[in-house]
Amino acid sequence: MSGFRATSGGRFDRARRVSFTFDGVAYLGHPGDTLASALMANGVSLVGRSFKYHRPRGVLAAGAEEPNALVTVDRGPGRITPNCRATEVELFEGLVARSQNRFPSLGFDLGAINSMLKPLFPAGFYYKTFMGPAINGKAKFWNRLFEPLIRRAAGLGAAPTEPDPDAYASLFAHCEVLVVGSGEAGLRAALSASENPAVRVILCEMDHDFGGWLLADPTGARFRDEAIATLRTRPNVRLLSRTQCFGLFLQGFVGLVERVTDHLADPAIDAPRERLWQVRAGRIVIATGAIERPLVFPDNDRPGVMLSSAAHILQGRYGVLPGRAIVVATATDAAYRTAFALADGGARIEAILDRRDHAGERVRAEAEARGIRVETGLTLLGTTGKKHVTGVSYAPMQNQDLRGPSQVIACDTLLVSGGFTPTLHLLSQARGSLRWDEPLSAFVPDKVPENINIAGLASGDFPPELRGAALGLLPGNDDKSALAFVDFQNDVTARDIRLATREGFRSIEHVKRYTTTGMATDQGKTSNINALSIAAESLSQSLPKTGHTTFRMPYVPVTFGTLAGAYRAELFDPIRRTPMHDLAEKRGAVFEDIGLWKRAHAFPRAGESVKAAVQRETRTVREHVGIFDASTLGKIEVTGRDAAAFLDRIYANPVANLAPGRCRYALMLNEAGFLIEDGIVARLSDQRFHITTTTGGVGKVLHLLEDYRQTEFIDLDCFLAPVTEHWAVIAVQGPKAREVIAPLIEGINVAADAMPHMTIREGRLTGVPCRLMRASFTGERGFEVNVPADFGFFAMEALLARAEGLGGGLYGLEAMHILRAEKGYIIIGQETDGTVTPHDLGLGWAMGKAPRDFIGKRGLARPDLLAKGRKQLVGLLPDDPAVVLEEGAQIILQHEPSTGIAAQGHVTSAYFSPNLGRGFALAMLKDGRNRMGEVVTIPMPGERVLARIVSPVFLDPEGRALHG
Amino acid sequence: MHFSFLSLLRQAFANHEGWQPYWQQAAPKPFYDIVIVGAGGHGLSTAYYLASEFGMRNIAVVEKGWLGGGNTARNTTVIRSNYLWEESEAIYEHSLKLWESLSHVLNINVMYSPRGVMMLAHNHHDTMVLKRHVHANRLAGIDNEWLTPEEAKAFCPLLNIEQNIRYPVTGAALQRRGGVARHDAVAWGYARAAAALGVDIIENCPVTGIRRGADGAVMGVETGKGFIGAKRVGVVAAGHTSVLMEMAGVRMPIESFPLQALVSEPVKPMMPCVAMSNTIHAYMSQSDKGELVIGAGTDVYTSYSQAGGLHISQHTLEAICELFPATRRMKMLRNWGGIVDVTPDRSPIIGKTPVPGLFVNCGWGTGGFKATTGSGHVFAATLASGEPHPIAAPFSLDRFRTGRLIDEAAAAAVAH
Amino acid sequence: MADLMLTPRNAWADLTVAEIPGATLKPSPTRHRVLFQARERELETRMKAAGMAAPPAILRARMMDDVALLRPGPDEWLIVSEAEISPKWHEIAGPGAIEISHGYAGIEWCGPRVMLALSAGCPLDLHESAFPVGMASRTLYGKSEMLLWRQDHARFHMEVARSYLSAILAFFGETARHLPQS
Amino acid sequence: MLLIPCPYCGFPRPEIEFRHAGEAHLMRPEEPASDEAYAAFLYERENPKGIAAERWRHVHGCGRYFNALRDTVSDRILAVYKPGEVRPEVAS
Ligand SMILES: Cc1cc2nc3c(=O)[nH]c(=O)nc-3n(C[C@H](O)[C@H](O)[C@H](O)COP(=O)(O)OP(=O)(O)OC[C@H]3O[C@@H](n4cnc5c(N)ncnc54)[C@H](O)[C@@H]3O)c2cc1C
Ligand SMILES: NC(=O)c1ccc[n+]([C@@H]2O[C@H](COP(=O)([O-])OP(=O)(O)OC[C@H]3O[C@@H](n4cnc5c(N)ncnc54)[C@H](O)[C@@H]3O)[C@@H](O)[C@H]2O)c1
Ligand SMILES: Cc1cc2nc3c(=O)[nH]c(=O)nc-3n(C[C@H](O)[C@H](O)[C@H](O)COP(=O)(O)O)c2cc1C
Ligand SMILES: [Zn+2]
């Protein structure tokens, strides 16, 4: 029999009971219990199976450092959480928990056969085998046979399969002092820091209750309760329980994660499951305490073997005794105190086996007074039992040698205490350093960043009772046959570590990676120092020279959802809609994502396919008139005395000579000479320009303009502002464009000769201010009507009503793409990919002849950008007019095979044009402009498409439709 | 000792006492024909191929810390060859072919697992770019196929292909031969095989200077263990390339950024392949041990700290939770960073430098693990002959002068 | 057709305002915005000449008689107003001023829990010692940029780019439900 | 997340408000520059392990570009200064 609830003691709600199930069996516990304490109270000691050997395992520790007792908590579909530490899972009514990594059951696990084959499974065995003979040089046996088997065997809990419906919250917070850990040290730090009401203090504690060790210590309870009461009265203090500090970053940036509802049987519908606190703290007090280490000896992993401090907490907080007949094996005095407490609680202490030659006098005397048998100067040689410990064997030692025969003491529980390790993960994360303290046998703080304090046990300032250590494999054991576990979860044994060093893995980092010690979900909290010490010993070098592995965040694993927070579904990234979005929606638009914007792709009518709608819209524009929402186009207003001179240096085209009222299509290069943006530069007046950019490019362009304005062309006086959203833009394109706008426009003469192509005018559209641009991205006569955004919706409605009266209608992005491609107009990102120059696109003329400097000018003169044979923009007409090429398809010579050769170029845009009555494409092709008329091949899966190289301007090469 | 099930069995009876070190700790000799600086995967594979294919024996690999502890220890192990430009296709495909036989060639199970790498598209532009890759690769004889969202889901059931999400999946490019491998085993395997051929691997030996003779040519390297003479020196130091080349007075077109990755707690198999999305910046696979291996983006600033900001991983996990909503309850177990050497065109630099006798192999940035094999092979050829191997030739340092960049960045944004 | 009148339809049209106990968001009546650039000295002279007080310090806002003058950057000034901005102010703003009225929307945040609600998305320390009344700065709320101006202990004015308004309201709607009690 | 003291706003602000803008003090060569000199301007970077002079823009704040000296090993920002100002002397 093991584990039971004592009749007194503990800080839980003895009066009430809650029921829960573990592996389908119902049990009772109390509010305030953890799953571990409740299982122990019910005498359940087998709670899990280990990773590799499927060894039966029980609860080892009392908190986040627990390596063994991992369970899956099932709260229904989508709410199944694997790998929860039973020592941290709070009991609630109806809790359903299951053991993991066993088949068919925890009690009878077929995987345990691995334990019998253990000689075949030393560290790194998988690197040496499972390759099988090579088949065609490949490791087919590995891929087909062994890897799938290994994958199935590995892993701990079952993977979730359903979307998690829970919400996760997140907050930024700021404080002058953040205290991590609410033990005595943390409470004192919080009390003193918060005396000044101007000092904001956050105290976070990962446990569900404040107090740390004080909770297990009846003499500490009063201080704990008073401290908490005082802190609660202070408005400058925020107390966060169930809140782990998982990461310390630079400059006082801290990540906390609060468990908000996992402990509730019936959480409020709106409550988030967890909350991320991103804290910026002026000062951080690390008061995270210390973690006890197990002893390393053969079969030290049986259920019933437990850390002494964990047993102490179990008894002190939960009134649970880990067993009835207890042996305590220790290298510290602290474990004596545990023995006394358990004895007081009603357990029988069979013996205290002290690794040391001398125990502390006070504990020794008290043990004697209590009649507890104490033996010193001995080592442990093993345990007996199967799924539970039934006895422990030990032998007296003289120096490093056995002094006498081994003896066995029967027991149902073995408590171990190999010394304490200050919990300094956070200090390391914050780039502090640790130093090995030999008398303490522990790493203690060395260099501490100036904004950090370390308090309590974490500082290495141990009271005498906590000193003492038994590091590494206990003497008297050779590691040949039995398994002396170091890393319990990953089944790393002392001999694995020795094997690693024998095989040449001398760096502790290599040892870690070869054996996987410290890489489990507990990240070696209880095991790292033992592993290190074994490695150091077998390398015959000192422990500090061997060093420790890197501590990384998180301290304890953190839920993905918590780190993602609210940024899911439509909040993942903002959705931007134009002022006319609703109108498009009403007209049945199908939307497309362009950057953050939703843009209308096409407007299919009832019963019409999207494809058909696109064709109809494309035709409508050429034949009548089309209305297009162009509001997302980037717009920047540039003003000031030197606005013209500034833009002249920015654009590859000269713009300084642009007369007020005129527009120019302009190209923007990077300093390397490649095209990165295009748009229209419109001069409103001498010192005011309205420029446009691509939808996605405006942020980048603004950034670039500001860069040159603020840091490069500082001799120039100008000012820029993004005005994209101030102006709603409605493009009116088609032969009847003027007819559509003319009656609505006031104060602008829109006649052909008064307002020719590429001009801009300011006036009114039915009473509201309007910037009217004569420009065209379709090749048709076109106007772009800019009105203040509040008027965009009704302006578009009015223009649309007129257009529809003239046989026109809305068109979407796809029709726009076809229309511009028919004219050979490029789209940045479609015809260009960051490696294309204006010359490549046949736009060299745009740069003008006059000598002037502009961004990218020098870059363009580099040898490879001038070289012959560069890819150039061409048109392609497939032989079969019904064929629409695929964008991205490669182009080869007619006689070349479909594979194994270099491409001549690729298709950049391809559509079916209702205006041409055929498929057509734009392409970038080597030396393309010199190859008009040549027939090339586009290899597609299973076929070869022939196409003729033509000019990229498919319609109206003289541009007649634009004018007039 | 040969690795096999049989040797494992034999050792099982011998208590595993008979295993030999993977490599010996070598003390530096005064002079080597070739000194390689940096014992990452690339440096070690270079040494191995120099010895195995080019018959050179008097070689040392000098490493400042523990071998394989740089980016080789830190990467998310995605292997694929479906790059856009012909030059890239050549080197990554060369590498991929070497991966396929690597376990047997090195006689260590590097767990190369061609489980398929799927690159997701989320909009028209992505689709166009990825299809361009598919076509280009097919022309080069490299497998890459286009999947509809439904086909992508069939290949990776965890994937969310609902069309009403913020960035719906519009399709995917799949390279079935792509996959992952066990990064540590790769480093150790090359080290073991190289050491067996007589290569000296000198750990804990930082190179602190590059000595040049009166003629400007390289004479050797100053190290924490003294001067080591060499006819040729190959710098293969990833994130530290600028620092090392500076020692020889050469300024590089490289910036070193922190790149982060993270793993979840291990669970039973849930993720059958590698999936990546450049648009929303995340990629994920599951290791044979069971943890989800997830790559984040680089931080925006240069750094040598092997640590990055929390917001970078948060952003990645937002994307992962969107693409794979069943992972929201999974837990991040460990997060770390590496220092990646990023070139302006996101393609590596392999070959000569302005200093005679000094060669460099760097700039693999966020995506060089997959080239560990081929990079070492062509760099070995280059070091052995003094002239660039044909596959390496386009990746010369000179391309930045002429402007003949191999711009994988412009074409595809990211390249892991 | 000149008889056709275009009714304005502002960014708030069709958007519902979220509210939680202790924090209310509502559309701000500010309709007019002009952005301009000027050196502090220059502006001070111009304002003095117009009989006005000195311009605010960087990251501060000042209520002038009919408008609010905000200074989000060293040389950058923003006039925000409910009524049409008077010629007097246009003169002060100078010929290079840029009209951006419709590009933004104003949100009024008030109530004892607004600081907490803002903290779900705003990385700045909003404690009054760090972000006092009268302070105005661009920053972030969730993934959206905004300009935040503290008008009183528990009242903020937020200027957001028009197309981000719905994202901001949605973000508030989602995160405000999940705030801790205090 | 770094805390960056913007020299215009006057107090430290969170990194996510900023955009990094590359190495500072790169001089756009006056024409005519040789191919080598121009390539150096375009691509070669100091990339020091130690104190780096770099540019940031307070893009979600005052909008200004400025320079910072940061130790690339500790990631600590040691000084900030305005464009055009000389690089201050600092010890890491
Ligand atoms: C988080 C992350 C994820 C990645 N994911 C992928 C991926 O999925 N797929 C992929 O293909 N690539 C990926 N990469 C990139 C990949 O890791 C690298 O490109 C590759 O590992 C580089 O290998 P290497 O051998 O050149 O460098 P490293 O392994 O970094 O080796 C360089 C060595 O040089 C040593 N060195 C440096 N300075 C000195 C000196 N002064 N003296 C002596 N030695 C020195 C270093 O200590 C180091 O060991 C990723 C990288 C990171 C950081
Ligand atoms: N007799 C024993 O076995 C024993 C053991 C430990 C402590 N003690 C006594 O307890 C006192 C020490 O108090 P202390 O305050 O230094 O330690 P403590 O162990 O009492 O408190 C540390 C607290 O920090 C919390 N914590 C740790 N890491 C955290 C993180 N990342 N985030 C949030 N919370 C975290 C822990 O949950 C714990 O509550 C001493 O007086 C000592 O004698 C005795
Ligand atoms: C593919 C891969 C898988 C990993 N899996 C684990 C793991 O299961 N557990 C673990 O603790 N660390 C894991 N790591 C991370 C390493 O522990 C370590 O963080 C990484 O090698 C960087 O080294 P450093 O943190 O010591 O700087 C993994 C790393 C890689 C590259
Ligand atoms: Zn600023």
Side-chain angles (χ1 to χ4, degrees), chain A residues 369-694:
Chain A
R370 287 167 173 268
I372 296 177
R373 171 178 157 204
V374 174
E375 308 226 8
T376 56
L378 42 78
T379 187
L380 302 184
L381 299 175
T383 62
T384 56
K386 276 207 148 138
K387 288 179 200 151
H388 198 91
V389 65
T390 55
V392 51
S393 65
Y394 67 97
M397 293 292 297
Q398 185 109 60
N399 298 325
Q400 294 297 305
D401 302 314
L402 292 182
R403 179 158 49 85
S406 74
Q407 300 171 44
V408 175
I409 304 184
C411 61
D412 63 15
T413 300
L414 173 65
L415 303 185
V416 291
S417 176
F420 289 81
T421 307
T423 311
L424 289 168
H425 304 62
L426 296 175
L427 173 65
S428 288
Q429 288 180 14
R431 307 193 192 172
S433 63
L434 311 183
R435 134 188 99 71
W436 180 253
D437 182 300
E438 190 57 50
L440 215 58
S441 290
F443 282 104
V444 296
D446 183 18
K447 291 205 186 69
V448 180
E450 66 271 359
N451 61 336
I452 292 180
N453 293 74
I454 322 268
L457 294 184
S459 70
D461 181 13
F462 282 9
E465 289 193 355
L466 266 63
R467 289 166 189 252
L471 293 174
L473 181 65
L474 294 184
N477 293 295
D478 74 27
D479 55 9
K480 286 206 175 108
S481 50
L483 298 174
F485 287 90
V486 178
D487 182 313
F488 284 66
Q489 192 181 116
N490 273 357
D491 280 338
V492 181
T493 62
R495 72 187 209 151
D496 286 326
I497 292 171
R498 293 183 175 183
L499 172 65
T501 59
R502 214 161 44 238
E503 294 197 80
F505 295 98
R506 302 178 60 89
S507 158
I508 192 65
E509 296 286 2
H510 281 146
V511 171
K512 161 184 151 176
R513 285 162 176 81
Y514 191 63
T515 64
T516 75
T517 189
M519 294 180 82
T521 65
D522 58 312
Q523 292 282 291
K525 290 186 179 62
T526 54
S527 63
N528 278 347
I529 301 294
N530 278 328
L532 173 53
S533 144
I534 294 167
E537 195 193 328
S538 72
L539 290 168
S540 314
Q541 66 188 21
S542 73
L543 229 130
K545 172 140 196 295
T546 310
H548 59 80
T549 56
T550 307
F551 296 91
R552 293 279 189 182
M553 75 113 168
Y555 176 61
V556 168
V558 175
T559 310
F560 285 6
T562 308
L563 291 163
Y567 300 106
R568 59 194 286 214
E570 68 271 29
L571 297 183
F572 179 72
D573 263 345
I575 298 176
R576 304 177 69 184
R577 297 184 183 85
T578 74
M580 295 87 104
H581 184 88
D582 297 354
L583 176 58
E585 205 158 53
K586 238 189 290 175
R587 295 303 196 101
V590 180
F591 291 95
E592 185 180 336
D593 287 314
I594 304 288
L596 298 177
W597 291 99
K598 291 281 177 199
R599 300 194 68 184
H601 175 84
F603 299 87
R605 294 175 178 161
E608 192 183 33
S609 70
V610 173
K611 255 193 180 152
V614 168
Q615 294 290 309
R616 170 180 50 73
E617 293 165 15
T618 311
R619 236 177 13 246
T620 304
V621 175
R622 293 251 181 264
E623 288 168 9
H624 305 286
V625 61
I627 303 286
F628 177 73
D629 179 358
S631 303
T632 64
L633 277 193
K635 294 174 278 297
I636 299 169
E637 201 160 319
V638 185
T639 63
R641 203 183 55 216
D642 300 319
F646 176 72
L647 293 175
D648 207 50
R649 293 190 203 172
I650 297 287
Y651 283 103
N653 316 53
V655 294
N657 59 2
L658 200 63
R662 309 273 332 179
C663 305
R664 185 160 293 160
Y665 173 68
L667 307 173
M668 208 177 272
L669 313 185
N670 57 17
E671 292 281 19
F674 298 116
L675 187 58
I676 53 167
E677 263 291 323
D678 64 355
I680 288 178
V681 177
R683 188 167 201 167
L684 290 163
S685 66
D686 194 31
Q687 298 191 11
R688 186 176 295 267
F689 288 80
H690 176 111
I691 66 176
T692 69
T693 74
T694 60

Side-chain angles (χ1 to χ4, degrees), chain A residues 139 536 726 782 861 953:
Chain A
H726 174 70
V953 186

Side-chain angles (χ1 to χ4, degrees), chain A residues 81 83 119 127 132 137 147 154 164 166 502-503 510 523 550 552 558 560-561 569 573-574 833 864 886 900, chain B residues 16 22 67 101 104 109 113 132 135 139 166-167 265-266 268 288 306 322 328-330 332 334 402 410:
Chain A
T81 317
N83 303 342
Y127 299 129
E147 188 182 37
D164 174 4
D166 282 336
R502 214 161 44 238
E503 294 197 80
H510 281 146
Q523 292 282 291
T550 307
R552 293 279 189 182
V558 175
F560 285 6
D573 263 345
D833 59 9
D864 202 63
E886 192 161 282
Chain B
H16 297 285
Y22 277 51
L67 71 78
S101 59
H104 287 96
N109 190 353
S113 171
R132 184 176 169 197
H135 287 292
L139 195 60
R166 185 69 187 86
Y167 293 107
E265 293 183 342
K268 296 294 175 193
D288 287 345
Q306 293 190 337
E322 280 300 284
R328 269 161 61 87
R329 266 182 134 78
M330 293 291 293
M332 170 170 80
R334 189 174 171 100
T402 65

Side-chain angles (χ1 to χ4, degrees), chain B residues 38 40-42 63-64 71-72 75-76 78 207 238 366-370:
Chain B
H42 287 234
E63 165 58 49
K64 76 175 156 80
N71 290 340
T72 301
N75 76 94
T76 47
V78 178
V207 168
T366 60
F369 176 69
K370 63 178 69 65

Side-chain angles (χ1 to χ4, degrees), chain A residues 703-764:
Chain A
H703 196 60
L704 185 134
L705 294 190
E706 282 294 351
D707 193 352
Y708 283 92
R709 184 180 81 91
Q710 293 180 27
T711 72
E712 191 66 42
F713 305 143
I714 43 177
D715 52 320
L716 302 180
D717 178 13
C718 64
F719 177 52
L720 350 140
V723 293
T724 304
E725 299 225 41
H726 174 70
W727 297 106
V729 186
I730 305 134
V732 184
Q733 304 272 316
K736 300 175 187 165
R738 185 177 297 106
E739 272 175 81
V740 170
I741 65 157
L744 304 183
I745 294 288
E746 301 150 21
I748 303 173
N749 181 353
V750 296
D753 43 355
M755 190 175 180
H757 182 50
M758 293 309 260
T759 53
I760 186 164
R761 301 284 183 267
E762 290 179 277
R764 292 191 167 260

